Amino acid sequence: MAKTFLVLIPAYNAGLTIFELLKKISQFANKSDIVVVDDGSEDGTFAIAQRAGAVVLRHETNKGKGEALKTGFRYALKENYRALITMDADLQHDPKSIPDFIRMTDKTNGIIIGTRKRNLKIMPFARWLTNNLTSAIVSVLSGQSIRDSQSGYRLISIQVLKDVKLESKKYDLESEILIKAKRKGFRIDQIPIKTIYGEGKSFIHPLIDTGRFIKLMWRSLWW
C-alpha cells in the first residue's frame, strides 16, 4: 500500500535554519515522512537534522541541488510514496502551505508549483529579473504558462518520477522536470504561497547557473 506523501528538503550548510524548519514541518507531517538530503554540508546540518527527528540522507561531498533532489526522489520511489513535497532549507517556504498542497493531491497526476508574488518590494532585483526571464522561457518550452519556474516549493506525483528521466545536477533540474513532465502529458498546477526573503545566504551563482539554464534550453530542443 502506497504511503501518502513525503516532505523532501535538499540542504547544504543549513545548520542555522534546519532545526526550526523541521520543527514547523512536524506540525503537518510525521517525522518519519520528512527527509533531509544533506548535500555535503560542513556546518553540522546532518547532526542537527538527525536531532530534530528527520530521516537524513547524506552526500559525502557537495554535488548540487539537482543531485540532492534526485537522491530524495529515489528514496520516495523505494519507499512507495504517492507524492512528495519539496521545500528549501532556508525558511523561505512557509510549512503552513503544506495542507494546501495536500488538498490538491487527488486533483493532479503531475506537479503543483507554489507560486510567489513577484514583488520588487520583497524580492531582490536580481532574483526578480532571473525569475521573470526563466519563467517566460520555461513557459514557452513546456507549452504552458508557468508563473514561478524557480520555486522549489512543489508537490510532485510519484508517477512523474517514474516516467521522467532527469539529467541535470544543479538548480536547472527544477526547470528540466517541468518541461519534461508537461511534454509527457502531466498536469502542472499552481497555487499561491507566501513570498519570504530573509538574510540567508543564497548558493545560486548568477553567471554559472544562467549558463546552465542556457545549456538546458539548448538540450530541450532534442527531448
Side-chain angles (χ1 to χ4, degrees), residues 139-155:
S139 295
V140 171
L141 294 176
S142 65
Q144 176 179 335
S145 176
I146 304 294
R147 296 191 299 275
D148 191 356
S149 68
Q150 301 307 296
S151 174
Y153 202 175
R154 306 174 175 188
L155 183 143

Side-chain angles (χ1 to χ4, degrees), residues 14-215:
L16 294 177
T17 56
I18 194 68
F19 190 89
E20 182 179 351
L21 176 63
L22 293 172
K23 181 179 178 181
K24 291 180 177 180
I25 293 173
S26 65
Q27 299 175 49
F28 305 99
N30 296 325
K31 289 183 178 180
S32 60
D33 296 321
I34 304 172
V35 171
V36 175
V37 180
D38 174 19
D39 189 29
S41 298
E42 301 172 343
D43 68 344
T45 293
F46 180 85
I48 295 169
Q50 276 195 325
R51 192 163 67 246
V55 177
V56 189
L57 311 177
R58 178 168 172 78
H59 293 167
E60 291 301 322
T61 59
N62 180 248
K63 297 182 178 182
K65 186 178 184 181
E67 287 297 322
L69 285 169
K70 286 190 284 187
T71 293
F73 293 166
R74 288 190 289 270
Y75 179 88
L77 287 163
K78 179 174 70 75
E79 295 297 321
N80 197 31
Y81 280 93
R82 181 179 173 189
L84 57 86
I85 295 172
T86 61
M87 301 179 69
D88 291 344
D90 57 6
L91 292 174
Q92 291 189 10
H93 295 154
D94 189 346
K96 291 180 181 178
S97 293
I98 289 175
D100 298 330
F101 284 97
I102 299 305
R103 278 192 287 272
M104 291 188 66
T105 303
D106 292 333
K107 300 178 181 179
T108 185
N109 72 336
I111 298 172
I112 303 169
I113 305 171
T115 302
R116 301 161 291 185
K117 289 184 179 180
R118 292 182 292 204
N119 188 336
L120 272 174
K121 293 180 180 180
I122 303 174
M123 298 181 77
F125 176 75
R127 301 289 290 275
W128 177 88
L129 180 61
T130 56
N131 198 347
N132 274 279
L133 289 173
T134 56
S135 294
I137 294 168
V138 170
S139 295
V140 171
L141 294 176
S142 65
Q144 176 179 335
S145 176
I146 304 294
R147 296 191 299 275
D148 191 356
S149 68
Q150 301 307 296
S151 174
Y153 202 175
R154 306 174 175 188
L155 183 143
I156 305 172
S157 165
I158 205 69
Q159 197 59 47
V160 171
L161 303 182
K162 290 179 179 179
D163 292 357
V164 174
K165 182 179 178 182
L166 297 168
E167 302 171 7
S168 300
K169 297 182 178 181
K170 305 290 184 178
Y171 287 93
D172 46 340
L173 180 135
E174 291 175 315
S175 296
E176 179 188 4
I177 194 172
L178 294 177
I179 297 167
K180 287 185 173 180
K182 183 61 181 177
R183 289 183 179 180
K184 280 187 169 288
F186 289 103
R187 285 184 56 165
I188 298 178
D189 295 298
Q190 302 169 82
I191 62 173
I193 60 170
K194 188 175 182 180
T195 304
I196 304 172
Y197 278 94
E199 299 299 322
K201 179 181 178 181
S202 172
F203 294 100
I204 295 175
H205 302 281
L207 290 177
I208 295 173
D209 287 305
T210 297
R212 290 193 182 103
F213 184 76
I214 292 171
K215 290 180 181 179

